[in-house]
Amino acid sequence: MTTVTASKSFRPDIEGLRALAVSGVIAFHFGYTGLPGGFVGVDIFFVISGYLITKHLQQEIAKHGTVNLWIFYARRARRLLPASLFVILTTLLVGYFVLAPSEQQLYSKGALFASTYIINLWLIRWSLDYFAVDAANNPFIHFWSLSVEEQFYLAWPALLLLFTRMRPGRHGVFLLMATVAAISFGLCAWLTAVSQPWAFYFSPFRAWEFALGGLASMALVDTWAKRFPYSPVMGWLGLGLIAVTYVSVSEQSPFPGFIALVPAMGTVMVLLSGVHQSLRGPKAILAVRPMQWAGKLSYSLYLWHWPVIVYAMMLMPELTSVQRLLLLVVTFALSLFSYQFVENPIRRNTWLIAGTRRSLAFAALLTMTGVTVAYASATLAKHNLSPQQEMIVETAELPSAVRAKDESCVLDLETVKPKPCVFGSPSSNETVVLFGDSHADHWSTPLIDIAKKDNIRLVTYLKSSCRATRITTRDSKLRRDYTECDDWRELAVKEIIAMKPQMVIISQLSISHLTEEIGDPSEFSARKVEWAQGIRSTVQALSNAGINVVFLRDVPTHTSYLDKCVARALWQGRDPSICDTPRAAAADDDDAQTEKGIISSIKNARYVDMTNFFCSHTVCHAMVNGKLTFRDRHHIATPYAESLAAPLERAIFKETVARAVRAQPVSETIPEGAFAIRLQ
């Protein structure tokens, strides 16, 4: 997000490209669904930076035979650090009033790493997916790209000097730079499939985008572009590539990888077309006044837009279009203020410009200020953690009974071979199987308590994000069809049937969540049919083997992360009930009726609905009897799950010793009473 002038003549098309890049990023983060790939605007910035910085360094080398790195670093520091520190400090200050103390602690670390331009490394360590829902709460996550750029500014001049001193000639430098680009891109493409956070955040695996810009700035490419008669056409094609990625790429795409090559090459084509004197290229629209104005503010706009929308979403989760538009106005106002009164005055300060050491010392002072304030913020937040706040944090972090014993009992995404884990009374002749995904796992806590009390052998077959229903789904982390789930499910069903348990309890993420996994909404009706068929297929297979099946209705899904929402409400002096979600939005009763109808038609199968322990007729509660109901949006908090052991026991194991489990729906209104559970 730089504004380095690559030559004496100003390039309005580059300023317009900056506007295009930041507009895409803001549109994506502000929830404009028409540009689902707007986040690739960052890749445009990377290519522009590589182009301008490499051209500037080449001019220095051609003129002086070397580059004064200290002067270069001082110029970069004056340009970037003041505005970024101003935004970091303002974000921390506002966060004190908006965020819960536990969040203030966490995100103060983000502020510290953002101040030192290494937040991208922290995010890798945190293994936070940029597109994950949790990322929406981090007001500093957008500093990752600035960290990548700063790391590029540190390494690239030295590397270019090394290339030059090797005296390989003009073509040799080009080939060396192309080699760097090829190696970086190859590793990026490979890691996108293997470990996406590394491919996304680690600067060496993004270096190819800067190198592409650098290659485009080389004299031999520049000369070719000036002579190429179809440069304007090339520029329009490049703009078209950018537009295509903006509208067709989404957060579900395997990014960066090969996909990032499209906007990167598109940007190179626009940059090369801009060296041609013809006005018939994309510079005709990139040079218009609104684009120039937005391009001039692009760095400030990028800095401010994210904390503005993050905090607004925390205070008003259901933002209207008008409110989002007003937030855009606020973003522009803050950007204009920091540009006029922070960014420009310091960048153009004659006292700092006159002495490189002064600029570098000032940069060190700014960095230490950011680190000190961030550390102080984290310390203050720790002091403000009340017993209630600590209870919420501990509740959210408490694992299920299965995970507490052995984390590997809930298989990861890539593992296919089932791992049955035994709980309760291992030597008992009465076996119950718990089968499903993490929504089966959160029921393991009360079920294990029941198994211990009633001498039942409980065996779990659990896999992360993998439903028991026979349907192929797309996994958001893998960014592809979840074939490992299909393979695991079939092996698990085979093993369960061979085990011949008295009962199988199925729990899983409901059909209502399929909308989050389908890119095209028109496919949803067809997928609903597949879902119904998948439920019948799985349950029928178990029933045909003479196994009793209990299908647990899925739990409600809240609109906000309850641990964070309740903690914020308490910190702000508001009632936790503001975190309640209307039942109509949280619990899809129509889909539940469809599931109930399918299960009721299958022999040996019953449908059990526990929804009324979470919801009234109108709302689904964030807290019940002083306990947090969910640790996030839809995973039952372990302490509350423990409190459900008695009603769950009544609902599932209601038959007496003389009667087998019958196929009939069970409500939560079963009368209380002590009884022994015996399975036949």
Side-chain angles (χ1 to χ4, degrees):
M1 298 79 182
T2 65
T3 56
V4 175
T5 304
S7 64
K8 292 181 181 179
S9 59
F10 175 67
R11 288 279 299 270
D13 57 316
I14 293 180
E15 200 77 287
L17 263 179
R18 289 195 188 98
L20 184 65
V22 78
S23 298
V25 174
I26 292 175
F28 173 73
H29 285 152
F30 272 52
Y32 178 55
T33 56
L35 295 178
F39 58 86
V40 304
V42 169
D43 300 81
I44 298 174
F45 277 125
F46 287 167
V47 176
I48 293 174
S49 293
Y51 181 86
L52 294 177
I53 293 298
T54 305
K55 183 172 280 292
H56 170 76
L57 293 171
Q58 284 180 307
Q59 290 170 348
E60 287 288 310
I61 292 171
K63 186 177 181 179
H64 304 291
T66 187
V67 174
N68 189 318
L69 295 178
W70 297 118
I71 292 177
F72 175 81
Y73 295 145
R75 190 184 298 120
R76 293 291 82 221
R78 289 195 306 271
R79 170 69 181 91
L80 298 173
L81 265 61
S84 66
L85 178 65
F86 182 54
V87 173
I88 288 170
L89 296 182
T90 305
T91 304
L92 282 173
L93 177 62
V94 176
Y96 178 82
F97 301 99
V98 176
L99 300 170
S102 58
E103 293 177 297
Q104 293 173 33
Q105 269 192 300
L106 175 62
Y107 299 137
S108 290
K109 293 181 182 178
L112 187 151
F113 290 118
S115 298
T116 52
Y117 286 95
I118 56 172
I119 193 172
N120 59 321
L121 304 180
W122 179 60
L123 292 171
I124 292 172
R125 184 175 179 274
W126 195 15
S127 296
L128 177 64
D129 182 355
Y130 179 74
F131 304 108
V133 180
D134 261 351
N137 294 313
N138 187 340
F140 298 103
I141 194 173
H142 65 312
F143 274 87
W144 76 269
S145 63
L146 303 178
S147 297
V148 169
E149 282 207 20
E150 280 298 296
Q151 291 157 23
F152 164 74
Y153 296 147
L154 284 173
W156 194 247
L159 191 61
L160 196 59
L161 268 178
L162 177 63
F163 287 167
T164 303
R165 288 175 181 175
M166 291 169 65
R167 301 184 185 278
R170 225 174 27 162
H171 293 81
V173 172
F174 183 90
L175 289 174
L176 286 170
M177 197 179 296
T179 301
V180 170
I183 293 172
S184 172
F185 175 73
L187 291 171
C188 177
W190 172 64
L191 279 166
T192 298
V194 176
S195 181
Q196 192 265 353
W198 279 92
F200 196 94
Y201 290 121
F202 197 42
S203 51
F205 304 143
R206 287 301 193 113
W208 64 272
E209 296 180 281
F210 296 96
L212 273 183
L215 289 169
S217 74
M218 300 291 284
L220 61 98
V221 179
D222 190 84
T223 302
W224 170 83
K226 288 177 180 177
R227 296 176 179 175
F228 185 52
Y230 300 106
S231 279
V233 176
M234 177 177 64
W236 286 114
L237 288 174
L239 208 59
L241 290 177
I242 293 172
V244 166
T245 54
Y246 271 17
V247 299
S248 62
V249 176
S250 74
E251 55 193 279
Q252 299 297 327
S253 304
F255 196 85
F258 286 95
I259 294 175
L261 193 60
V262 179
M265 288 304 300
T267 305
V268 167
M269 293 165 71
V270 175
L271 290 171
L272 291 178
S273 75
V275 304
H276 201 275
Q277 296 302 313
S278 173
L279 295 176
R280 293 175 296 167
K283 68 171 65 174
I285 60 171
L286 293 175
V288 298
R289 189 177 295 275
M291 296 291 281
Q292 295 298 293
W293 186 63
K296 181 174 65 174
L297 292 176
S298 60
Y299 179 55
S300 292
L301 286 168
Y302 184 84
L303 286 172
W304 282 112
H305 84 281
W306 183 242
V308 166
I309 191 64
V310 164
Y311 286 153
M313 288 290 289
M314 289 178 182
L315 296 172
M316 301 175 290
E318 302 298 327
L319 287 172
T320 66
S321 298
V322 173
Q323 288 171 330
R324 291 175 191 272
L325 187 60
L326 290 174
L327 291 172
L328 185 61
V329 173
V330 170
T331 300
F332 268 94
L334 290 170
S335 301
L336 189 60
F337 176 85
S338 62
Y339 179 79
Q340 293 286 1
F341 299 106
V342 179
E343 188 177 328
N344 273 348
I346 296 177
R347 180 175 54 165
R348 297 170 180 171
N349 184 278
T350 54
W351 184 79
L352 288 174
I353 293 173
T356 300
R357 290 183 179 179
R358 296 174 189 171
S359 293
L360 293 174
F362 182 64
L365 177 63
L366 291 179
T367 301
M368 287 308 300
T369 300
V371 170
T372 302
V373 174
Y375 181 81
S377 173
T379 303
L380 179 61
K382 184 178 181 181
H383 174 75
N384 288 333
L385 273 174
S386 66
Q388 263 189 316
Q389 294 282 351
E390 289 180 342
M391 179 272 289
I392 293 170
V393 172
E394 291 169 1
T395 295
E397 293 177 348
L398 201 62
S400 68
V402 165
R403 291 181 185 270
K405 178 184 177 182
D406 186 350
E407 186 78 24
S408 66
C409 285
V410 183
L411 301 186
D412 58 28
L413 299 178
E414 289 82 9
T415 303
V416 171
K417 184 179 179 181
K419 180 180 179 178
C421 294
V422 180
F423 300 88
S425 301
S427 60
S428 174
N429 294 325
E430 298 168 356
T431 299
V432 172
V433 170
L434 177 61
F435 181 30
D437 53 21
S438 60
H439 280 217
D441 174 48
H442 60 201
W443 287 112
S444 70
T445 300
L447 285 172
I448 289 174
D449 286 344
I450 295 169
K452 289 177 179 177
K453 181 171 73 73
D454 293 297
N455 192 35
I456 295 172
R457 179 173 177 262
L458 180 68
V459 183
T460 61
Y461 279 83
L462 305 171
K463 181 172 171 63
S464 179
S465 302
C466 186
R467 300 169 171 95
T469 295
R470 279 172 166 157
I471 184 172
T472 300
T473 57
R474 182 178 176 83
D475 185 80
S476 59
K477 291 183 179 178
L478 296 175
R479 289 181 167 81
R480 58 172 172 79
D481 284 349
Y482 193 9
T483 55
E484 292 90 342
C485 173
D486 296 338
D487 295 339
W488 170 83
R489 183 191 304 115
E490 295 310 309
L491 290 172
V493 169
K494 184 177 179 181
E495 288 188 14
I496 292 169
I497 291 175
M499 188 187 300
K500 297 181 179 179
Q502 280 72 31
M503 178 185 288
V504 173
I505 300 170
I506 293 176
S507 183
Q508 60 187 15
L509 200 65
S510 77
I511 186 174
S512 304
H513 292 268
L514 275 180
T515 52
E516 302 168 8
E517 304 168 12
I518 298 173
D520 185 357
S522 64
E523 298 177 6
F524 188 59
S525 58
R527 293 288 279 170
K528 266 196 167 185
V529 174
E530 290 180 42
W531 174 270
Q533 292 172 342
I535 291 177
R536 183 174 295 279
S537 177
T538 299
V539 176
Q540 193 73 63
L542 297 170
S543 174
N544 289 344
I547 300 170
N548 294 303
V549 180
V550 168
F551 194 100
L552 271 175
R553 177 182 174 176
D554 193 19
V555 295
T557 298
H558 285 265
T559 54
S560 61
Y561 280 67
L562 294 191
D563 59 324
K564 296 178 174 64
C565 183
V566 171
R568 288 177 202 147
L570 293 172
W571 173 246
Q572 295 162 9
R574 298 191 290 174
D575 194 280
S577 62
I578 66 167
C579 302
D580 294 350
T581 303
R583 177 166 177 147
D588 197 321
D589 292 325
D590 290 338
D591 285 338
Q593 285 300 313
T594 300
E595 290 179 339
K596 184 177 180 180
I598 295 169
I599 300 303
S600 298
S601 67
I602 300 174
K603 182 182 178 182
N604 301 326
R606 289 190 298 141
Y607 192 75
V608 171
D609 187 348
M610 301 289 289
T611 304
N612 285 2
F613 286 98
F614 303 95
C615 309
S616 67
H617 291 299
T618 56
V619 298
C620 294
H621 303 289
M623 298 193 76
V624 173
N625 297 328
K627 295 181 184 292
L628 194 69
T629 51
F630 293 89
R631 59 181 173 83
D632 47 27
R633 293 175 61 220
H634 50 74
H635 290 97
I636 308 173
T638 298
Y640 188 65
E642 290 172 344
S643 72
L644 297 178
L648 185 66
E649 181 179 19
R650 293 193 298 270
I652 294 179
F653 306 106
K654 70 166 194 170
E655 302 302 328
T656 63
V657 65
R659 302 178 62 187
V661 177
R662 295 175 302 177
Q664 63 181 19
V666 179
S667 73
E668 79 287 353
T669 58
I670 299 172
E672 297 188 14
F675 54 89
I677 300 171
R678 310 300 295 176
L679 301 172
Q680 294 184 5

